[in-house]
Amino acid sequence: QVQLVESGGGLVQAGGSLRLSCAASGRTFSSYAMAWFRQAPGKEREFVAAISRSGGRIDYVDSVSGRFTISRDSAKNTVYLQMNSLKPEDTAVYYCSAIETTRDYLPTRYDYWGQGTQVTVSS
């Protein structure tokens, strides 16, 4: 089992930047594909970005492509989400997630979740 702890959320003006971090512990970090999801008030949780266990495969939802960057640091057991050019519609609770994989691909289902970190973008 892996434990996930997010940090880095906060209040930022439109056009600003934030970097979210997700520290993983408990098992071999390099065995896990990682992803970020978000949930805005009154809306369903949506996929934001994912990175494969090696970091060689990455995917983004269209609405953040070109603005957000997902990355991972195996030495620190941490996955990051760099968010630039933030918009008010990016306001949500952001969740880190993980799933253990036996090969290098991007799953659509994730088993482990963090507690979430709030991101608020003011106009």
Side-chain angles (χ1 to χ4, degrees), residues 72-84:
R72 62 191 297 157
D73 185 336
S74 294
K76 297 182 178 180
N77 284 7
T78 301
V79 64
Y80 302 99
L81 186 68
Q82 177 67 45
M83 306 185 295
N84 298 329

Side-chain angles (χ1 to χ4, degrees), residues 44-79:
E44 293 186 353
R45 184 174 60 195
E46 69 166 344
F47 166 81
V48 176
I51 187 166
S52 64
R53 53 185 282 170
S54 75
R57 299 178 186 271
I58 288 175
D59 192 25
Y60 301 96
V61 67
D62 287 346
S63 60
V64 308
S65 184
R67 300 188 296 123
F68 290 11
T69 302
I70 189 171
S71 62
R72 62 191 297 157
D73 185 336
S74 294
K76 297 182 178 180
N77 284 7
T78 301
V79 64

Side-chain angles (χ1 to χ4, degrees), residues 37-47 92-93 95:
F37 288 76
R38 66 186 180 185
Q39 187 167 18
K43 295 186 177 181
E44 293 186 353
R45 184 174 60 195
E46 69 166 344
F47 166 81
V93 177
Y95 297 92

